[in-house]
């Protein structure tokens, strides 16, 4: 059984994302963002589908301002894929499941 | 054995599609709603809705859509993720081509809505998500105490610009004419808002910046021809919408802007195929009109099915 999507913070971002051995998809979100809530079920499905091959984490931009600002994020939802500590993909705004799957597959 | 998968397939789960699903579900048709991303469409990026009856204090776009979706789910309606890429509407059985499968239906409702138009100026795509935005409710908090430019003159432009002023230091709203199209109550609020300044008779010609994001917006006055740069960290664009009808091109009749032409019954030029909401050629694109369209289209689809 896959666990739920884990929250990361400014303090844990380096350990959970940058130093991760598996590729990581980070969902930058906030509670006031309608489209962020709308894509959450798609991310849950992706989380199950790619279990073991891709780690998915969420970063609340209200509680953790320095991580999003270090990546120049000025829109949410923003999804980023990290591989070996490097950002390899960035998707801004609402995204369809098929498009997201393709972006993940391109980077695994 | 049935020759079709569903009586009624609705493409798009915004207010029009969800209302059609509600009516068709209550009529006990077999209904499938296909949504390519997440239910809601443009409503999701609307921060606050004040013109949908029944909510005296207003309602957030997300809450309204969540309630509409919940209501639909009470009536055995199937909502699936899927994007229609092409259609075959020739025979009595309509075929919808998805990336991974084909769905056969007796009637089809196109309710795919519209998307925010772009300006088509240099820098716009480059800085999307790094200062360029079409969604104040998603992105405004990233511009706290900044100066931003907004573009447009309709209801959306004014309403969202006023929302921006809760966060930013200053909004310069660039509008190509010398008066606003927006409804009077919004014009009054705009005029009373000290953080909002309207740059009349002007268009945006370029969005400039660096790796850090947007730094300035180039503006041209259409009357004097004078050009100037406004130092700004953001550029919010609300200049109307384009219909999401690429997949339907050549299959149903459209106007020159790609909006689908229907009769009073919301039927397209193909019997049994309907269009509802923002995707339709219509004088007013609102949640209330989309909802009304959806109900009419579902009602007409029921009649069409009864007479098959």
């Amino acid at each position: 059984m896959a666990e739920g999507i884990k929250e990361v913070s400014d303090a844990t971002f380096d350990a959970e994302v940058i130093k991760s051995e598996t590729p990581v998809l980070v969902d930058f979100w906030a509670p006031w963002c309608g489209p962020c809530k709308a894509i959450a079920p798609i991310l849950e499905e992706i989380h199950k589908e790619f279990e073991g091959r891709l780690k998915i984490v969420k970063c609340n931009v209200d509680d953790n301002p320095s991580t999003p600002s270090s990546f120049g994020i000025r829109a949410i939802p923003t999804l980023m894929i990290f591989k070996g500590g490097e950002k390899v993909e960035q998707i801004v705004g609402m995204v369809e499941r098929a498009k997201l799957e393709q972006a993940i597959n391109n980077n695994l | 054995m049935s020759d079709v998968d569903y009586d009624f397939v609705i493409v798009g789960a915004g207010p029009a599609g969800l209302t059609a699903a509600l009516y068709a579900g209550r009529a006990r048709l077999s209904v499938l709603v296909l949504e390519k991303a997440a239910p809601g469409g443009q409503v999701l990026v609307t921060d606050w809705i004040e013109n949908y009856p029944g909510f005296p204090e207003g309602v957030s776009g997300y809450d309204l859509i969540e309630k509409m979706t919940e209501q639909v789910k009470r009536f055995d309606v199937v909502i699936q993720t899927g994007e229609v890429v092409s259609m075959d509407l020739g025979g009595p059985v309509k075929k919808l081509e998805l990336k991974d499968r084909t769905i056969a239906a007796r009637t089809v409702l196109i309710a795919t809505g519209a998307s925010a138009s772009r300006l088509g100026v240099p820098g716009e795509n480059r800085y999307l998500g790094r200062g360029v935005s079409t969604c104040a409710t998603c992105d405004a908090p990233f511009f706290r105490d900044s100066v931003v430019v907004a573009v447009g003159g309709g209801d959306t432009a004014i309403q969202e610009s006023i929302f921006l002023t809760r966060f930013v230091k200053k909004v310069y709203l660039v509008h190509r004419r010398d008066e606003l199209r927006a409804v009077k109550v919004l014009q009054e609020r705009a005029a009373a808002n000290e953080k909002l300044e309207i740059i009349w008779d002007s268009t945006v010609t370029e969005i400039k910046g660096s790796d850090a994001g947007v730094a300035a917006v180039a503006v041209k006055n259409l009357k004097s021809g004078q050009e100037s740069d406004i130092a700004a960290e953001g550029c919010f664009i609300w200049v109307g919408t384009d219909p999401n009808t690429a997949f339907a091109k050549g299959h149903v009749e459209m106007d020159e802007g790609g909006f689908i032409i229907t009769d009073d019954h919301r039927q397209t030029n193909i019997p049994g195929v309907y269009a509802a909401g923002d995707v339709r050629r219509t004088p007013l694109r609102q949640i209330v009109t989309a909802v009304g369209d959806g109900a009419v289209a579902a009602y007409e689809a029921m009649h069409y099915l009864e007479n098959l």
Side-chain angles (χ1 to χ4, degrees):
Chain A
M1 241 343 249
E3 287 174 38
I5 294 176
K6 195 172 176 180
E7 284 277 355
V8 295
S9 66
D10 284 343
T12 62
F13 194 85
D14 191 65
E16 293 285 352
V17 178
I18 302 300
K19 298 214 165 78
S20 169
E21 290 188 4
T22 348
V24 191
L25 185 149
V26 187
D27 168 25
F28 292 95
W29 75 288
W32 39 262
C33 160
C36 297
K37 287 191 250 182
I39 65 164
I42 300 174
L43 290 172
E44 292 289 348
E45 287 170 22
I46 296 272
H47 181 56
K48 291 193 187 96
E49 183 185 338
F50 288 89
E51 196 187 357
R53 292 186 290 150
L54 177 77
K55 177 172 167 181
I56 303 189
V57 298
K58 295 180 356 172
C59 180
N60 180 324
V61 300
D62 278 352
D63 301 341
N64 304 286
S66 52
T67 304
S69 101
S70 73
F71 291 107
I73 291 176
R74 293 213 123 167
I76 52 171
T78 285
L79 303 176
M80 283 186 182
I81 300 174
F82 290 83
K83 202 174 171 181
E86 295 287 326
K87 183 183 91 179
V88 291
E89 182 76 69
Q90 176 166 356
I91 300 167
V92 178
M94 288 280 288
V95 62
E96 297 117 52
R97 183 174 171 171
K99 212 166 150 186
L100 182 56
E101 282 173 342
Q102 197 186 357
I104 294 167
N105 280 321
N106 287 346
N107 287 295
L108 283 188
Chain B
M1 228 5 230
S2 173
D3 55 342
V4 297
D5 302 307
Y6 296 93
D7 292 328
F8 190 37
V9 175
I10 298 164
V11 190
L18 291 173
T19 306
L22 175 64
Y23 276 70
R26 283 169 55 84
R28 299 291 185 221
L29 303 187
S30 67
V31 185
L32 169 68
V33 183
L34 285 171
E35 167 58 45
K36 75 170 180 177
Q42 291 180 100
V43 179
L44 281 179
V45 301
T46 309
D47 82 280
W48 203 245
I49 296 157
E50 285 186 342
N51 55 7
Y52 193 78
F55 296 89
E57 312 297 328
V59 60
S60 82
Y62 180 81
D63 285 346
L64 183 61
I65 280 298
E66 201 181 31
K67 284 183 198 299
M68 285 186 183
T69 311
E70 257 174 52
Q71 196 171 352
V72 165
K73 284 183 174 163
R74 290 181 53 202
F75 298 100
D76 294 332
V77 169
V78 182
I79 303 180
Q80 283 179 3
T81 305
E83 181 175 5
V84 176
V85 289
S86 184
M87 302 189 286
D88 176 2
L89 306 176
V93 173
K94 327 289 181 201
K95 295 206 172 78
L96 301 178
E97 304 286 343
L98 279 65
K99 275 175 191 139
D100 53 348
R101 61 199 155 119
T102 301
I103 294 165
R106 274 187 235 289
T107 57
V108 174
L109 173 63
I110 301 172
T112 43
S115 305
S117 305
R118 298 278 174 82
L119 295 171
V121 300
E124 188 178 23
N125 288 335
R126 182 167 176 215
Y127 297 114
L128 194 66
R130 292 191 298 151
V132 173
S133 173
T134 58
C135 179
T137 173
C138 314
D139 306 337
F142 293 102
F143 297 88
R144 221 174 276 277
D145 302 320
S146 310
V147 173
V148 300
V149 168
V151 196
D155 286 355
T156 303
I158 305 306
Q159 165 128 19
E160 302 297 300
S161 293
I162 292 168
F163 176 77
L164 278 176
T165 62
R166 288 199 230 158
F167 298 87
V168 305
K169 191 159 70 186
K170 180 95 186 173
V171 178
Y172 290 102
L173 176 67
V174 177
H175 181 48
R176 64 185 167 177
R177 298 195 301 153
D178 59 5
E179 58 181 357
L180 299 172
R181 275 192 322 277
V183 66
K184 284 284 183 289
V185 63
L186 291 176
Q187 291 194 28
E188 289 160 16
R189 280 184 212 163
N193 192 315
E194 285 175 0
K195 286 183 173 179
L196 179 60
E197 182 176 335
I198 303 178
I199 314 278
W200 302 101
D201 300 310
S202 299
T203 56
V204 166
T205 54
E206 186 181 351
I207 298 164
K208 299 174 179 179
S210 65
D211 287 342
V214 171
V217 177
V219 173
K220 182 180 181 178
N221 185 298
L222 296 170
K223 285 195 172 151
S224 68
Q226 199 184 342
E227 295 186 45
S228 55
D229 281 3
I230 300 171
E233 291 177 45
C235 186
F236 287 78
I237 300 163
W238 296 295
V239 290
T241 57
D242 296 316
N244 300 321
T245 49
F247 72 99
K249 227 157 229 148
H251 300 289
V252 293
E253 202 185 333
M254 297 176 189
D255 70 7
E256 62 284 358
F259 291 98
I260 296 172
I261 298 171
T262 68
D263 61 15
D264 288 350
H265 304 266
R266 310 301 185 262
Q267 184 167 268
T268 66
N269 60 314
I270 310 285
V273 179
Y274 306 87
D278 282 10
V279 78
R280 197 170 74 87
R281 185 177 69 175
T282 169
L284 185 64
R285 293 194 173 84
Q286 295 283 304
I287 301 169
V288 279
T289 53
V291 159
D293 273 5
V296 174
Y299 177 78
E300 292 301 326
M302 289 170 222
H303 277 264
Y304 174 91
L305 288 164
E306 279 168 12
N307 293 315
L308 274 184

